Amino acid sequence: MLRVSKLTDYATAVMTCLASAGDGVTSAQALAERARLELPTVSKLLKQLAQAGLVASTRGINGGYRLARAPERITIADIVTAMEGPIGMTECSAHAGLCDHEPHCGVRVNWQRINQAIANALANVTLADMLHVPRQRASIPVRVAVT
Amino acid sequence: MLRVSKLTDYATAVMTCLASAGDGVTSAQALAERARLELPTVSKLLKQLAQAGLVASTRGINGGYRLARAPERITIADIVTAMEGPIGMTECSAHAGLCDHEPHCGVRVNWQRINQAIANALANVTLADMLHVPRQRASIPVRVAVT
DNA sequence: GATAAATAGTACTATTTCAGTCCTGATTTG
DNA sequence: CAAATCAGGACTGAAATAGTACTATTTATC
């Protein structure tokens, strides 16, 4: 149903917790409790987020994670990409050359444009935005133009 | 990777073929050949599209399918919804009440806003648009505002 | 009215993906 | 050195997906 995976969903929740936690490091354990998720699951996705460079980790006792950048500079698109790979609605728009139909597929270029629109929509919402419950109207002006 | 299913992808291709076929009915067989897909697959998705009211079918010999509305009035969002159900990036944003975390989930409202942005992006591209190879710039002004 | 062509509906299966868990190793603090 | 914590990989059960097959129904033509 055109959805992101649960892991990605959890990842946004955990990242939001991290953003609200401030500057110090927070352990995976503490994040799991705050997000009400299982520790192994949280560990797994934090590892992925760390590899993608969205969070920085500190090992050892009193270790934990913190955001690698300011919440204003981390977007939903970053998180989705970290968890699921490149954003592409169709196989051929994410990776060229895999589809037999490419030579006679007039639809492909248009899908790429749609992808772009969606990627822009995701890139226009930052972690900082997620911290706020939206105001009545127009608090996050997402403006996407396919050009 | 945030993608639509292959069936949905095929559906857009088949719908595009139908749009370019003009007013008469076109058989599933002919559509399969033009889209270079297997007949059973095309039949299956045409049935779904018919149930969703996007195509009209004529039975019997010389039967086939035609668009139920003008291509300008059928959007990618219509096709995606017909094939995959309601557009929702996360479980909780498509169906309320299923998620244990809802009471303490500050992320949910924001996901709903993102969904809306994406739904708008898909709703702003019509079948008629898909028929054209995009011009150099600004041929499909998709403008999405989360308000 | 019989026949052929085409859609309608249902069921089934193999494959793939996803979610979740567990285990072992590496690192740091005390 | 011991405890706490992250890193990396492997594994498994469940679910979704894709594709196929079969039967019933409808309609035009002869």
Side-chain angles (χ1 to χ4, degrees):
Chain A
M1 305 195 190
L2 183 60
R3 65 179 38 152
V4 297
S5 71
K6 279 191 188 177
L7 266 303
T8 305
D9 190 6
Y10 296 163
T12 60
V14 169
M15 289 291 277
T16 304
C17 285
L18 261 183
S20 67
D23 284 343
V25 301
T26 310
S27 71
Q29 177 74 56
L31 287 169
E33 284 167 13
R34 286 188 212 166
R36 284 161 173 94
L37 298 169
E38 297 301 318
L39 173 59
T41 302
V42 172
S43 296
K44 183 178 183 176
L45 61 90
L46 279 169
K47 281 176 228 168
Q48 268 187 268
L49 293 169
Q51 286 182 327
L54 297 183
V55 300
S57 62
T58 309
R59 285 194 178 189
I61 195 170
N62 294 331
Y65 295 92
R66 67 179 196 287
L67 296 182
R69 305 195 289 271
E72 292 79 17
R73 295 182 49 230
I74 298 178
T75 69
I76 299 297
D78 290 330
I79 299 175
V80 171
T81 303
M83 300 302 295
E84 315 198 355
I87 292 174
M89 300 285 286
T90 56
E91 192 67 41
C92 64
S93 55
H95 315 279
L98 292 181
C99 173
D100 296 341
H101 306 124
E102 263 182 41
H104 25 76
C105 175
V107 175
R108 178 159 173 264
V109 253
N110 289 297
W111 267 118
Q112 289 177 323
R113 298 149 55 73
I114 296 170
N115 285 342
Q116 196 56 51
I118 289 176
N120 287 349
L122 295 179
N124 272 286
V125 181
T126 70
L127 257 195
D129 293 325
M130 296 295 272
L131 284 179
H132 308 307
V133 174
R135 275 163 279 162
Q136 278 298 78
R137 16 180 305 126
S139 68
I140 307 177
V142 174
R143 192 157 291 277
V144 179
V146 176
T147 53
Chain B
M1 304 196 190
L2 184 59
R3 66 179 35 154
V4 297
S5 71
K6 279 191 188 176
L7 265 305
T8 305
D9 189 6
Y10 296 163
T12 59
V14 168
M15 289 292 277
T16 305
C17 285
L18 261 184
S20 67
D23 285 342
V25 301
T26 310
S27 71
Q29 176 74 55
L31 286 170
E33 284 167 13
R34 286 187 213 167
R36 282 157 175 97
L37 299 169
E38 297 300 320
L39 174 59
T41 303
V42 171
S43 298
K44 184 179 183 174
L45 61 89
L46 279 169
K47 279 176 232 169
Q48 267 188 267
L49 293 169
Q51 284 182 326
L54 296 182
V55 300
S57 62
T58 308
R59 284 194 175 191
I61 193 169
N62 294 331
Y65 294 90
R66 65 177 197 286
L67 296 182
R69 305 196 289 272
E72 293 79 16
R73 296 182 49 227
I74 299 178
T75 69
I76 298 297
D78 290 330
I79 299 175
V80 171
T81 303
M83 300 302 293
E84 314 198 355
I87 292 173
M89 300 286 285
T90 57
E91 192 68 41
C92 66
S93 56
H95 315 280
L98 293 181
C99 173
D100 295 340
H101 307 124
E102 263 181 43
H104 24 76
C105 174
V107 175
R108 178 159 173 263
V109 254
N110 289 297
W111 267 118
Q112 289 178 323
R113 297 151 55 73
I114 297 170
N115 285 342
Q116 196 56 50
I118 289 176
N120 287 350
L122 294 178
N124 271 287
V125 181
T126 70
L127 257 195
D129 294 326
M130 297 296 272
L131 285 179
H132 308 307
V133 174
R135 276 163 277 164
Q136 278 297 80
R137 16 178 305 127
S139 69
I140 306 178
V142 175
R143 193 157 292 276
V144 179
V146 177
T147 53

